[in-house]
Short mmCIF file of all heavy atoms in Angstrom, two decimals:
data_model
loop_
_atom_site.label_atom_id
_atom_site.label_comp_id
_atom_site.label_asym_id
_atom_site.label_seq_id
_atom_site.Cartn_x
_atom_site.Cartn_y
_atom_site.Cartn_z
N VAL A 11 -21.45 9.33 -13.72
CA VAL A 11 -20.91 8.49 -12.67
C VAL A 11 -21.51 8.96 -11.35
O VAL A 11 -21.46 10.14 -11.02
CB VAL A 11 -19.37 8.58 -12.63
CG1 VAL A 11 -18.81 7.84 -11.45
CG2 VAL A 11 -18.79 8.10 -13.92
N ALA A 12 -22.05 8.02 -10.59
CA ALA A 12 -22.66 8.34 -9.30
C ALA A 12 -21.59 8.67 -8.27
O ALA A 12 -20.48 8.15 -8.31
CB ALA A 12 -23.50 7.16 -8.83
N SER A 13 -21.94 9.54 -7.34
CA SER A 13 -21.01 9.88 -6.26
C SER A 13 -20.89 8.71 -5.31
O SER A 13 -21.85 7.98 -5.06
CB SER A 13 -21.54 11.08 -5.48
OG SER A 13 -21.59 12.21 -6.31
N PRO A 14 -19.67 8.49 -4.76
CA PRO A 14 -19.51 7.39 -3.80
C PRO A 14 -20.26 7.69 -2.51
O PRO A 14 -20.46 8.85 -2.15
CB PRO A 14 -18.00 7.34 -3.57
CG PRO A 14 -17.50 8.69 -3.93
CD PRO A 14 -18.43 9.22 -4.98
N THR A 15 -20.65 6.63 -1.82
CA THR A 15 -21.31 6.81 -0.53
C THR A 15 -20.29 6.85 0.60
O THR A 15 -20.60 7.30 1.69
CB THR A 15 -22.32 5.68 -0.26
OG1 THR A 15 -21.63 4.43 -0.29
CG2 THR A 15 -23.42 5.68 -1.29
N ALA A 16 -19.07 6.37 0.35
CA ALA A 16 -18.00 6.39 1.35
C ALA A 16 -16.65 6.26 0.64
O ALA A 16 -16.57 5.73 -0.46
CB ALA A 16 -18.17 5.24 2.34
N ILE A 17 -15.62 6.77 1.30
CA ILE A 17 -14.24 6.64 0.82
C ILE A 17 -13.45 5.95 1.93
O ILE A 17 -13.63 6.25 3.11
CB ILE A 17 -13.62 8.03 0.53
CG1 ILE A 17 -14.38 8.76 -0.55
CG2 ILE A 17 -12.13 7.90 0.20
CD1 ILE A 17 -14.21 8.19 -1.93
N TYR A 18 -12.56 5.02 1.54
CA TYR A 18 -11.70 4.32 2.50
C TYR A 18 -10.28 4.41 1.98
O TYR A 18 -10.02 4.13 0.81
CB TYR A 18 -12.13 2.86 2.62
CG TYR A 18 -11.39 2.08 3.69
CD1 TYR A 18 -11.86 2.08 5.00
CD2 TYR A 18 -10.26 1.35 3.38
CE1 TYR A 18 -11.20 1.37 5.98
CE2 TYR A 18 -9.59 0.63 4.37
CZ TYR A 18 -10.06 0.64 5.66
OH TYR A 18 -9.41 -0.06 6.62
N VAL A 19 -9.36 4.85 2.82
CA VAL A 19 -7.95 4.96 2.45
C VAL A 19 -7.16 3.98 3.30
O VAL A 19 -7.25 3.99 4.53
CB VAL A 19 -7.43 6.39 2.66
CG1 VAL A 19 -5.94 6.49 2.32
CG2 VAL A 19 -8.23 7.39 1.84
N ALA A 20 -6.39 3.11 2.64
CA ALA A 20 -5.56 2.13 3.33
C ALA A 20 -4.10 2.46 3.07
O ALA A 20 -3.70 2.69 1.92
CB ALA A 20 -5.86 0.72 2.82
N TYR A 21 -3.32 2.52 4.14
CA TYR A 21 -1.90 2.85 4.06
C TYR A 21 -1.07 1.67 4.56
O TYR A 21 -1.36 1.13 5.63
CB TYR A 21 -1.60 4.09 4.90
CG TYR A 21 -0.13 4.34 5.09
CD1 TYR A 21 0.66 4.79 4.05
CD2 TYR A 21 0.48 4.12 6.33
CE1 TYR A 21 2.01 5.02 4.21
CE2 TYR A 21 1.83 4.34 6.51
CZ TYR A 21 2.59 4.79 5.45
OH TYR A 21 3.93 5.01 5.62
N ASN A 22 -0.07 1.28 3.80
CA ASN A 22 0.85 0.23 4.22
C ASN A 22 2.26 0.81 4.20
O ASN A 22 2.86 0.99 3.16
CB ASN A 22 0.77 -0.99 3.29
CG ASN A 22 1.74 -2.08 3.68
OD1 ASN A 22 2.39 -2.01 4.73
ND2 ASN A 22 1.88 -3.08 2.86
N GLY A 23 2.80 1.10 5.36
CA GLY A 23 4.15 1.62 5.47
C GLY A 23 5.19 0.54 5.69
O GLY A 23 6.37 0.82 5.85
N TRP A 24 4.73 -0.70 5.70
CA TRP A 24 5.60 -1.84 5.96
C TRP A 24 6.33 -2.26 4.69
O TRP A 24 5.96 -1.90 3.58
CB TRP A 24 4.75 -2.99 6.51
CG TRP A 24 5.50 -4.04 7.24
CD1 TRP A 24 6.55 -3.86 8.10
CD2 TRP A 24 5.27 -5.44 7.19
NE1 TRP A 24 6.97 -5.07 8.59
CE2 TRP A 24 6.20 -6.07 8.04
CE3 TRP A 24 4.37 -6.24 6.51
CZ2 TRP A 24 6.25 -7.43 8.22
CZ3 TRP A 24 4.42 -7.60 6.71
CH2 TRP A 24 5.35 -8.18 7.55
N ALA A 25 7.37 -3.08 4.81
CA ALA A 25 8.19 -3.51 3.67
C ALA A 25 7.57 -4.65 2.87
O ALA A 25 8.09 -5.00 1.81
CB ALA A 25 9.57 -3.92 4.16
N ASN A 26 6.47 -5.23 3.34
CA ASN A 26 5.81 -6.35 2.66
C ASN A 26 4.33 -6.01 2.45
O ASN A 26 3.77 -5.19 3.16
CB ASN A 26 5.90 -7.62 3.50
CG ASN A 26 7.33 -8.09 3.65
OD1 ASN A 26 8.06 -8.19 2.68
ND2 ASN A 26 7.74 -8.36 4.88
N PRO A 27 3.69 -6.68 1.47
CA PRO A 27 2.25 -6.48 1.29
C PRO A 27 1.47 -6.91 2.53
O PRO A 27 1.92 -7.77 3.30
CB PRO A 27 1.91 -7.39 0.11
CG PRO A 27 3.19 -7.66 -0.58
CD PRO A 27 4.25 -7.61 0.49
N ILE A 28 0.32 -6.30 2.73
CA ILE A 28 -0.59 -6.69 3.81
C ILE A 28 -1.96 -6.95 3.20
O ILE A 28 -2.26 -6.49 2.09
CB ILE A 28 -0.70 -5.62 4.91
CG1 ILE A 28 -1.22 -4.30 4.34
CG2 ILE A 28 0.64 -5.43 5.62
CD1 ILE A 28 -1.55 -3.26 5.39
N HIS A 29 -2.80 -7.67 3.92
CA HIS A 29 -4.18 -7.90 3.49
C HIS A 29 -5.09 -7.02 4.33
O HIS A 29 -5.02 -7.05 5.55
CB HIS A 29 -4.56 -9.37 3.64
CG HIS A 29 -3.74 -10.26 2.77
ND1 HIS A 29 -3.94 -10.38 1.41
CD2 HIS A 29 -2.69 -11.06 3.05
CE1 HIS A 29 -3.06 -11.20 0.89
NE2 HIS A 29 -2.29 -11.64 1.87
N ALA A 30 -5.89 -6.21 3.67
CA ALA A 30 -6.81 -5.31 4.36
C ALA A 30 -8.23 -5.82 4.23
O ALA A 30 -8.62 -6.30 3.17
CB ALA A 30 -6.71 -3.92 3.77
N THR A 31 -8.98 -5.72 5.31
CA THR A 31 -10.42 -6.02 5.29
C THR A 31 -11.15 -4.69 5.39
O THR A 31 -10.99 -3.96 6.37
CB THR A 31 -10.80 -6.94 6.45
OG1 THR A 31 -10.06 -8.16 6.34
CG2 THR A 31 -12.30 -7.25 6.43
N LEU A 32 -11.90 -4.38 4.38
CA LEU A 32 -12.64 -3.12 4.33
C LEU A 32 -13.95 -3.25 5.10
O LEU A 32 -14.46 -4.36 5.30
CB LEU A 32 -12.91 -2.74 2.89
CG LEU A 32 -11.72 -2.19 2.10
CD1 LEU A 32 -10.65 -3.22 1.87
CD2 LEU A 32 -12.18 -1.62 0.80
N PRO A 33 -14.52 -2.12 5.52
CA PRO A 33 -15.82 -2.16 6.20
C PRO A 33 -16.89 -2.75 5.26
O PRO A 33 -16.69 -2.80 4.04
CB PRO A 33 -16.11 -0.68 6.48
CG PRO A 33 -14.80 0.01 6.38
CD PRO A 33 -13.99 -0.77 5.40
N PRO A 34 -18.02 -3.16 5.82
CA PRO A 34 -19.09 -3.67 4.97
C PRO A 34 -19.45 -2.67 3.87
O PRO A 34 -19.49 -1.46 4.10
CB PRO A 34 -20.26 -3.87 5.94
CG PRO A 34 -19.61 -4.07 7.26
CD PRO A 34 -18.39 -3.20 7.24
N GLY A 35 -19.68 -3.18 2.68
CA GLY A 35 -20.04 -2.32 1.56
C GLY A 35 -19.60 -2.94 0.25
O GLY A 35 -18.94 -3.97 0.22
N ASP A 36 -19.94 -2.27 -0.83
CA ASP A 36 -19.58 -2.68 -2.18
C ASP A 36 -18.44 -1.78 -2.64
O ASP A 36 -18.67 -0.68 -3.13
CB ASP A 36 -20.81 -2.54 -3.09
CG ASP A 36 -20.55 -2.98 -4.51
OD1 ASP A 36 -19.58 -3.73 -4.74
OD2 ASP A 36 -21.33 -2.58 -5.39
N TRP A 37 -17.20 -2.22 -2.45
CA TRP A 37 -16.02 -1.39 -2.65
C TRP A 37 -15.38 -1.57 -4.02
O TRP A 37 -15.35 -2.65 -4.56
CB TRP A 37 -14.99 -1.69 -1.56
CG TRP A 37 -15.46 -1.30 -0.21
CD1 TRP A 37 -16.03 -2.11 0.73
CD2 TRP A 37 -15.43 0.00 0.37
NE1 TRP A 37 -16.37 -1.39 1.85
CE2 TRP A 37 -16.01 -0.09 1.65
CE3 TRP A 37 -14.99 1.24 -0.08
CZ2 TRP A 37 -16.14 1.01 2.49
CZ3 TRP A 37 -15.11 2.34 0.76
CH2 TRP A 37 -15.69 2.21 2.03
N ARG A 38 -14.80 -0.47 -4.51
CA ARG A 38 -14.02 -0.46 -5.76
C ARG A 38 -12.69 0.23 -5.49
O ARG A 38 -12.66 1.25 -4.79
CB ARG A 38 -14.75 0.32 -6.85
CG ARG A 38 -16.05 -0.29 -7.26
CD ARG A 38 -16.80 0.59 -8.26
NE ARG A 38 -16.10 0.74 -9.52
CZ ARG A 38 -16.23 -0.08 -10.55
NH1 ARG A 38 -17.02 -1.12 -10.46
NH2 ARG A 38 -15.58 0.13 -11.66
N LEU A 39 -11.62 -0.30 -6.04
CA LEU A 39 -10.32 0.37 -5.99
C LEU A 39 -10.34 1.49 -7.02
O LEU A 39 -10.58 1.24 -8.21
CB LEU A 39 -9.20 -0.62 -6.30
CG LEU A 39 -7.79 -0.02 -6.34
CD1 LEU A 39 -7.36 0.42 -4.94
CD2 LEU A 39 -6.80 -1.02 -6.92
N ILE A 40 -10.10 2.73 -6.57
CA ILE A 40 -10.12 3.86 -7.50
C ILE A 40 -8.75 4.51 -7.67
O ILE A 40 -8.55 5.31 -8.57
CB ILE A 40 -11.16 4.92 -7.08
CG1 ILE A 40 -10.84 5.52 -5.72
CG2 ILE A 40 -12.56 4.32 -7.10
CD1 ILE A 40 -11.70 6.73 -5.36
N GLY A 41 -7.78 4.14 -6.80
CA GLY A 41 -6.45 4.70 -6.92
C GLY A 41 -5.47 3.98 -6.03
O GLY A 41 -5.85 3.39 -5.03
N SER A 42 -4.20 4.02 -6.40
CA SER A 42 -3.16 3.38 -5.62
C SER A 42 -1.80 3.96 -6.00
O SER A 42 -1.58 4.31 -7.17
CB SER A 42 -3.15 1.87 -5.88
OG SER A 42 -2.08 1.25 -5.17
N THR A 43 -0.90 4.02 -5.02
CA THR A 43 0.46 4.44 -5.30
C THR A 43 1.37 3.25 -5.55
O THR A 43 2.57 3.43 -5.74
CB THR A 43 1.04 5.29 -4.14
OG1 THR A 43 1.05 4.49 -2.95
CG2 THR A 43 0.22 6.56 -3.92
N ALA A 44 0.83 2.04 -5.59
CA ALA A 44 1.62 0.85 -5.90
C ALA A 44 2.19 0.97 -7.32
O ALA A 44 1.59 1.59 -8.20
CB ALA A 44 0.77 -0.41 -5.79
N ALA A 45 3.35 0.36 -7.55
CA ALA A 45 4.05 0.48 -8.83
C ALA A 45 3.18 0.08 -10.03
O ALA A 45 3.29 0.67 -11.10
CB ALA A 45 5.32 -0.36 -8.81
N ALA A 46 2.31 -0.89 -9.87
CA ALA A 46 1.48 -1.36 -10.98
C ALA A 46 0.56 -0.26 -11.52
O ALA A 46 0.13 -0.31 -12.67
CB ALA A 46 0.65 -2.56 -10.55
N TYR A 47 0.24 0.73 -10.69
CA TYR A 47 -0.68 1.79 -11.11
C TYR A 47 0.03 3.07 -11.52
O TYR A 47 -0.61 4.04 -11.90
CB TYR A 47 -1.70 2.05 -9.99
CG TYR A 47 -2.48 0.81 -9.67
CD1 TYR A 47 -2.16 0.02 -8.57
CD2 TYR A 47 -3.51 0.38 -10.50
CE1 TYR A 47 -2.85 -1.15 -8.30
CE2 TYR A 47 -4.20 -0.78 -10.24
CZ TYR A 47 -3.86 -1.54 -9.13
OH TYR A 47 -4.55 -2.70 -8.88
N ALA A 48 1.36 3.09 -11.46
CA ALA A 48 2.13 4.28 -11.84
C ALA A 48 1.86 4.73 -13.27
O ALA A 48 1.73 5.93 -13.52
CB ALA A 48 3.62 4.05 -11.60
N PRO A 49 1.76 3.80 -14.25
CA PRO A 49 1.49 4.26 -15.62
C PRO A 49 0.17 5.02 -15.76
O PRO A 49 0.00 5.80 -16.69
CB PRO A 49 1.47 2.97 -16.44
CG PRO A 49 2.28 2.00 -15.65
CD PRO A 49 2.02 2.36 -14.22
N MET A 50 -0.76 4.80 -14.85
CA MET A 50 -2.06 5.46 -14.90
C MET A 50 -2.07 6.73 -14.05
O MET A 50 -3.12 7.33 -13.87
CB MET A 50 -3.14 4.51 -14.40
CG MET A 50 -3.34 3.29 -15.26
SD MET A 50 -4.42 2.14 -14.42
CE MET A 50 -3.35 0.71 -14.41
N GLY A 51 -0.93 7.07 -13.47
CA GLY A 51 -0.87 8.24 -12.59
C GLY A 51 -1.46 7.98 -11.22
O GLY A 51 -1.73 8.91 -10.47
N GLY A 52 -1.68 6.73 -10.89
CA GLY A 52 -2.18 6.38 -9.57
C GLY A 52 -3.69 6.34 -9.44
O GLY A 52 -4.21 5.66 -8.58
N MET A 53 -4.40 7.07 -10.27
CA MET A 53 -5.86 7.05 -10.21
C MET A 53 -6.41 6.31 -11.42
O MET A 53 -5.91 6.49 -12.53
CB MET A 53 -6.41 8.48 -10.17
CG MET A 53 -6.02 9.26 -8.92
SD MET A 53 -6.50 8.49 -7.36
CE MET A 53 -8.27 8.71 -7.40
N LEU A 54 -7.43 5.51 -11.18
CA LEU A 54 -8.01 4.73 -12.27
C LEU A 54 -9.22 5.45 -12.86
O LEU A 54 -10.02 6.02 -12.12
CB LEU A 54 -8.43 3.35 -11.76
CG LEU A 54 -7.27 2.44 -11.39
CD1 LEU A 54 -7.03 2.48 -9.90
CD2 LEU A 54 -7.56 1.05 -11.84
N ALA A 55 -9.32 5.40 -14.18
CA ALA A 55 -10.51 5.94 -14.85
C ALA A 55 -11.72 5.11 -14.41
O ALA A 55 -11.57 3.94 -14.05
CB ALA A 55 -10.33 5.87 -16.36
N PRO A 56 -12.92 5.68 -14.41
CA PRO A 56 -14.08 4.91 -13.97
C PRO A 56 -14.21 3.54 -14.63
O PRO A 56 -14.56 2.56 -13.97
CB PRO A 56 -15.26 5.82 -14.33
CG PRO A 56 -14.68 7.20 -14.19
CD PRO A 56 -13.27 7.07 -14.71
N ALA A 57 -13.89 3.43 -15.90
CA ALA A 57 -14.00 2.13 -16.60
C ALA A 57 -12.94 1.13 -16.14
O ALA A 57 -13.11 -0.07 -16.32
CB ALA A 57 -13.89 2.34 -18.10
N ASP A 58 -11.87 1.62 -15.52
CA ASP A 58 -10.77 0.75 -15.08
C ASP A 58 -10.82 0.42 -13.59
O ASP A 58 -9.99 -0.34 -13.10
CB ASP A 58 -9.42 1.40 -15.40
CG ASP A 58 -9.21 1.58 -16.88
OD1 ASP A 58 -9.69 0.74 -17.66
OD2 ASP A 58 -8.57 2.58 -17.27
N GLN A 59 -11.74 1.02 -12.85
CA GLN A 59 -11.82 0.76 -11.42
C GLN A 59 -12.15 -0.70 -11.16
O GLN A 59 -12.84 -1.33 -11.95
CB GLN A 59 -12.83 1.69 -10.77
CG GLN A 59 -12.38 3.14 -10.86
CD GLN A 59 -13.41 4.12 -10.37
OE1 GLN A 59 -14.51 3.77 -9.96
NE2 GLN A 59 -13.06 5.39 -10.40
N ILE A 60 -11.61 -1.23 -10.07
CA ILE A 60 -11.66 -2.67 -9.81
C ILE A 60 -12.60 -2.97 -8.64
O ILE A 60 -12.41 -2.44 -7.54
CB ILE A 60 -10.24 -3.18 -9.49
CG1 ILE A 60 -9.30 -2.87 -10.65
CG2 ILE A 60 -10.25 -4.66 -9.16
CD1 ILE A 60 -7.83 -3.00 -10.30
N ASP A 61 -13.61 -3.82 -8.88
CA ASP A 61 -14.46 -4.30 -7.79
C ASP A 61 -13.60 -5.18 -6.88
O ASP A 61 -12.94 -6.09 -7.35
CB ASP A 61 -15.62 -5.12 -8.32
CG ASP A 61 -16.66 -4.27 -9.04
OD1 ASP A 61 -16.93 -3.15 -8.58
OD2 ASP A 61 -17.19 -4.72 -10.06
N VAL A 62 -13.62 -4.90 -5.58
CA VAL A 62 -12.75 -5.65 -4.66
C VAL A 62 -13.50 -6.35 -3.55
O VAL A 62 -12.90 -7.09 -2.79
CB VAL A 62 -11.65 -4.75 -4.04
CG1 VAL A 62 -10.73 -4.24 -5.12
CG2 VAL A 62 -12.23 -3.61 -3.24
N GLY A 63 -14.79 -6.15 -3.43
CA GLY A 63 -15.49 -6.77 -2.31
C GLY A 63 -15.01 -6.16 -1.00
O GLY A 63 -14.91 -4.96 -0.87
N ARG A 64 -14.63 -7.02 -0.04
CA ARG A 64 -14.22 -6.50 1.27
C ARG A 64 -12.76 -6.77 1.61
O ARG A 64 -12.31 -6.37 2.68
CB ARG A 64 -15.10 -7.09 2.36
CG ARG A 64 -16.51 -6.54 2.27
CD ARG A 64 -17.28 -6.62 3.55
NE ARG A 64 -16.57 -6.12 4.69
CZ ARG A 64 -16.63 -6.69 5.89
NH1 ARG A 64 -17.33 -7.76 6.09
NH2 ARG A 64 -15.96 -6.17 6.89
N THR A 65 -12.02 -7.45 0.75
CA THR A 65 -10.60 -7.70 1.06
C THR A 65 -9.74 -7.29 -0.13
O THR A 65 -10.15 -7.38 -1.28
CB THR A 65 -10.33 -9.17 1.39
OG1 THR A 65 -10.68 -9.99 0.27
CG2 THR A 65 -11.12 -9.63 2.62
N ARG A 66 -8.53 -6.86 0.19
CA ARG A 66 -7.61 -6.42 -0.85
C ARG A 66 -6.19 -6.45 -0.30
O ARG A 66 -5.96 -6.10 0.86
CB ARG A 66 -7.94 -4.99 -1.28
CG ARG A 66 -7.11 -4.45 -2.41
CD ARG A 66 -7.42 -5.12 -3.69
NE ARG A 66 -6.58 -4.58 -4.76
CZ ARG A 66 -6.68 -4.96 -5.99
NH1 ARG A 66 -7.57 -5.87 -6.34
NH2 ARG A 66 -5.89 -4.44 -6.91
N THR A 67 -5.24 -6.85 -1.14
CA THR A 67 -3.85 -6.78 -0.77
C THR A 67 -3.37 -5.35 -1.02
O THR A 67 -3.58 -4.80 -2.10
CB THR A 67 -3.00 -7.76 -1.59
OG1 THR A 67 -3.47 -9.08 -1.32
CG2 THR A 67 -1.53 -7.65 -1.25
N ILE A 68 -2.73 -4.77 -0.01
CA ILE A 68 -2.15 -3.43 -0.13
C ILE A 68 -0.65 -3.63 -0.27
O ILE A 68 0.00 -4.19 0.62
CB ILE A 68 -2.47 -2.55 1.11
CG1 ILE A 68 -3.96 -2.59 1.44
CG2 ILE A 68 -1.96 -1.14 0.89
CD1 ILE A 68 -4.87 -2.11 0.35
N GLU A 69 -0.10 -3.21 -1.38
CA GLU A 69 1.33 -3.43 -1.65
C GLU A 69 2.20 -2.66 -0.66
O GLU A 69 1.77 -1.68 -0.05
CB GLU A 69 1.66 -3.03 -3.09
CG GLU A 69 0.92 -3.85 -4.13
CD GLU A 69 1.21 -5.35 -4.02
OE1 GLU A 69 2.33 -5.74 -3.66
OE2 GLU A 69 0.30 -6.14 -4.32
N ALA A 70 3.44 -3.12 -0.54
CA ALA A 70 4.39 -2.50 0.39
C ALA A 70 4.55 -1.01 0.09
O ALA A 70 4.59 -0.60 -1.06
CB ALA A 70 5.74 -3.20 0.27
N LYS A 71 4.62 -0.24 1.18
CA LYS A 71 4.87 1.20 1.10
C LYS A 71 3.97 1.89 0.07
O LYS A 71 4.44 2.61 -0.82
CB LYS A 71 6.34 1.47 0.81
CG LYS A 71 7.25 0.89 1.89
CD LYS A 71 8.65 1.38 1.75
CE LYS A 71 9.57 0.75 2.78
NZ LYS A 71 9.32 1.08 4.13
N SER A 72 2.68 1.65 0.19
CA SER A 72 1.74 2.26 -0.74
C SER A 72 0.45 2.66 -0.05
O SER A 72 0.18 2.27 1.10
CB SER A 72 1.42 1.30 -1.90
OG SER A 72 0.67 0.21 -1.45
N VAL A 73 -0.32 3.44 -0.74
CA VAL A 73 -1.64 3.88 -0.30
C VAL A 73 -2.65 3.43 -1.35
O VAL A 73 -2.38 3.53 -2.55
CB VAL A 73 -1.69 5.43 -0.18
CG1 VAL A 73 -3.10 5.90 0.14
CG2 VAL A 73 -0.71 5.91 0.87
N ALA A 74 -3.77 2.90 -0.91
CA ALA A 74 -4.84 2.50 -1.81
C ALA A 74 -6.10 3.27 -1.43
O ALA A 74 -6.38 3.44 -0.24
CB ALA A 74 -5.09 1.00 -1.75
N ILE A 75 -6.83 3.71 -2.42
CA ILE A 75 -8.06 4.48 -2.20
C ILE A 75 -9.23 3.72 -2.77
O ILE A 75 -9.20 3.29 -3.92
CB ILE A 75 -7.97 5.87 -2.85
CG1 ILE A 75 -6.71 6.61 -2.35
CG2 ILE A 75 -9.23 6.69 -2.56
CD1 ILE A 75 -6.38 7.83 -3.16
N PHE A 76 -10.27 3.55 -1.95
CA PHE A 76 -11.44 2.78 -2.34
C PHE A 76 -12.68 3.67 -2.22
O PHE A 76 -12.73 4.57 -1.38
CB PHE A 76 -11.63 1.58 -1.40
CG PHE A 76 -10.44 0.67 -1.37
CD1 PHE A 76 -9.42 0.87 -0.45
CD2 PHE A 76 -10.34 -0.40 -2.24
CE1 PHE A 76 -8.32 0.02 -0.40
CE2 PHE A 76 -9.23 -1.25 -2.21
CZ PHE A 76 -8.22 -1.03 -1.29
N SER A 77 -13.68 3.39 -3.04
CA SER A 77 -14.97 4.06 -2.89
C SER A 77 -16.06 3.00 -2.80
O SER A 77 -15.96 1.94 -3.40
CB SER A 77 -15.24 5.00 -4.06
OG SER A 77 -15.48 4.29 -5.26
N ALA A 78 -17.07 3.32 -2.01
CA ALA A 78 -18.24 2.44 -1.87
C ALA A 78 -19.37 3.02 -2.70
O ALA A 78 -19.53 4.23 -2.81
CB ALA A 78 -18.65 2.31 -0.42
N ARG A 79 -20.16 2.11 -3.27
CA ARG A 79 -21.33 2.55 -4.05
C ARG A 79 -22.60 2.26 -3.30
O ARG A 79 -22.67 1.46 -2.45
CB ARG A 79 -21.37 1.82 -5.39
CG ARG A 79 -20.21 2.21 -6.26
CD ARG A 79 -20.28 1.54 -7.58
NE ARG A 79 -19.75 0.17 -7.40
CZ ARG A 79 -19.90 -0.79 -8.26
NH1 ARG A 79 -20.58 -0.60 -9.34
NH2 ARG A 79 -19.38 -1.95 -8.06
#
């Protein structure tokens, strides 16, 4: 697995989801504290990482971690 060229961390402390626009790049979701990712321990295995482009919904009261390739 190649090393990422950048890491972006998005934090949503609000009670509702927000839409985040990431900086230019080819981004993948690699981890999240949102409830949907709890069964995976919050971090996704390389095969499970999600290509997200430049926009992503950040769930309420959660942190999402992205890597650029």
Side-chain angles (χ1 to χ4, degrees):
V11 174
S13 297
T15 59
I17 299 289
Y18 186 87
V19 178
Y21 169 72
N22 178 8
W24 199 40
N26 295 311
I28 60 171
H29 297 285
T31 301
L32 285 67
D36 182 19
W37 294 97
R38 296 175 65 88
L39 177 68
I40 63 170
S42 176
T43 61
Y47 301 100
M50 296 170 236
M53 296 303 289
L54 291 99
D58 297 327
Q59 294 174 359
I60 302 165
D61 289 321
V62 296
R64 290 202 50 219
T65 60
R66 183 69 181 183
T67 299
I68 310 301
E69 298 301 327
K71 301 191 183 294
S72 69
V73 174
I75 305 167
F76 302 90
S77 69
R79 294 182 279 166

